[in-house]
């Protein structure tokens, strides 16, 4: 199954530390890209097309929806907070995008703003 990939379009993201892709499972396809940002905080971009609630809980290590939102560009992202990671979450057209990590919400929003849609081949 194809995902409309969102990629970081900024060098400010920092140093890439991890990358994974899992396709075709019963839970859909997922990919992950982790960074150590310039402030030495961890930030990850996660995307999946399976059940959103299960996916977000897994990639945020149990963060919970706060009920709040954050505007990033023209889009509203849900704010999630957790004991390990906080996150910004956006669902559109069956795909869930999560920007998560130890970084404060302002830095998560910077990463979310750097994501640009790209058609997969």
């Amino acid at each position: 199954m194809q995902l409309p990939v969102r990629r970081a379009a900024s060098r400010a993201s920092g140093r890439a530390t991890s990358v994974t892709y899992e396709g075709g499972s019963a839970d859909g396809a997922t990919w992950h890209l982790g960074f150590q940002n310039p402030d030495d905080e961890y930030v990850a971009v996660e995307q999946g097309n399976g059940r959103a609630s299960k996916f977000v809980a897994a990639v945020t290590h149990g963060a919970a929806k706060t009920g709040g939102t954050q505007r990033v560009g023209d889009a509203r992202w849900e704010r999630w907070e957790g004991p390990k990671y906080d996150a910004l979450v956006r669902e559109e057209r069956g795909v869930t995008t999560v920007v998560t990590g130890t970084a404060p919400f302002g830095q998560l929003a910077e990463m979310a703003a750097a994501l640009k849609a790209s058609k997969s081949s």
Side-chain angles (χ1 to χ4, degrees), residues 92-105:
E92 61 181 332
R93 288 174 259 179
V95 175
T96 304
T97 304
V98 180
V99 179
T100 188
T102 60
F105 277 107

Side-chain angles (χ1 to χ4, degrees), residues 7-18:
R7 60 180 173 76
S10 170
R11 290 180 171 226
S13 56
R15 178 179 54 87
T17 60
S18 56

Side-chain angles (χ1 to χ4, degrees), residues 22 25-28 30 46-63 65 80 89 91 96 98:
E22 294 181 24
S25 77
D27 292 327
T30 63
E46 314 274 357
Q47 197 170 50
N49 63 359
R51 200 171 95 222
S53 59
K54 183 177 179 181
F55 175 67
V56 176
V59 300
T60 64
H61 298 268
K65 194 184 294 192
W80 291 57
V89 178
E91 294 179 56
T96 304
V98 180

Side-chain angles (χ1 to χ4, degrees), residues 1-109:
M1 174 161 276
Q2 292 186 352
L3 293 172
V5 174
R6 291 201 172 273
R7 60 180 173 76
S10 170
R11 290 180 171 226
S13 56
R15 178 179 54 87
T17 60
S18 56
V19 63
T20 60
Y21 172 79
E22 294 181 24
S25 77
D27 292 327
T30 63
W31 69 264
H32 153 91
L33 181 57
F35 295 92
Q36 195 75 30
N37 78 9
D39 292 330
D40 223 22
E41 296 283 354
Y42 178 71
V43 177
V45 178
E46 314 274 357
Q47 197 170 50
N49 63 359
R51 200 171 95 222
S53 59
K54 183 177 179 181
F55 175 67
V56 176
V59 300
T60 64
H61 298 268
K65 194 184 294 192
T66 66
T69 61
Q70 183 156 342
R71 183 172 270 315
V72 178
D74 293 334
R76 288 232 174 257
W77 292 66
E78 293 178 346
R79 288 175 67 125
W80 291 57
E81 292 181 356
K84 184 170 183 174
Y85 296 149
D86 292 332
L88 294 174
V89 178
R90 184 161 181 233
E91 294 179 56
E92 61 181 332
R93 288 174 259 179
V95 175
T96 304
T97 304
V98 180
V99 179
T100 188
T102 60
F105 277 107
Q107 291 178 7
L108 297 178

